[in-house]
Amino acid sequence: MNRRLLTVVVAVLAGVTPVTAASATYTAAVSQIQPNHETLDCIFFRLTGVTGIAPASPGDWFAIPRDSAGAMEAFAVLLTSRTKAMPVTVQTTTETACGYARALTVIM
């Protein structure tokens, strides 16, 4: 039941997030996650085998600003993907967050 609720919350958040025409989509399991940073207020993560992401991002890291709507729910999805090796679909645009490719949606 809780998994269904999480899926619904993520789907709703994905539906209300604006996506520009220059978006890119990636699907893979989370390989690394960094929920904290000394000076940047973002959640950082990488996807297994995904390289050359757009916009260009150092080390192919994605970022989600902590103050964005649904950031903690997205973190829960990322953590689930990391611990269970389940793929997630991440959508980006040309925007960056904390100097890295901004993940607008994270769907499992």
Side-chain angles (χ1 to χ4, degrees), residues 7-108:
T7 302
V8 169
V9 169
V10 172
V12 168
L13 291 173
V16 297
T17 304
V19 178
T20 67
S23 65
T25 303
Y26 307 91
T27 301
V30 174
S31 62
Q32 293 178 298
I33 188 167
Q34 181 180 348
N36 63 335
H37 189 279
E38 188 176 311
T39 59
L40 302 174
D41 199 23
C42 283
I43 299 164
F44 301 94
F45 65 98
R46 294 176 73 190
L47 298 178
T48 302
V50 173
T51 60
I53 62 177
S57 186
D60 293 314
W61 286 86
F62 296 91
I64 300 172
R66 286 183 179 279
D67 62 354
S68 63
M72 290 300 105
E73 291 82 358
F75 175 69
V77 171
L78 295 170
L79 191 57
T80 301
S81 173
R82 176 68 180 118
T83 58
K84 298 193 181 281
M86 297 174 68
V88 294
T89 300
V90 176
Q91 191 160 36
T92 65
T93 66
T94 56
E95 298 176 30
T96 60
C98 299
Y100 295 84
R102 181 178 181 171
L104 293 178
T105 61
V106 179
I107 302 169
M108 181 181 286

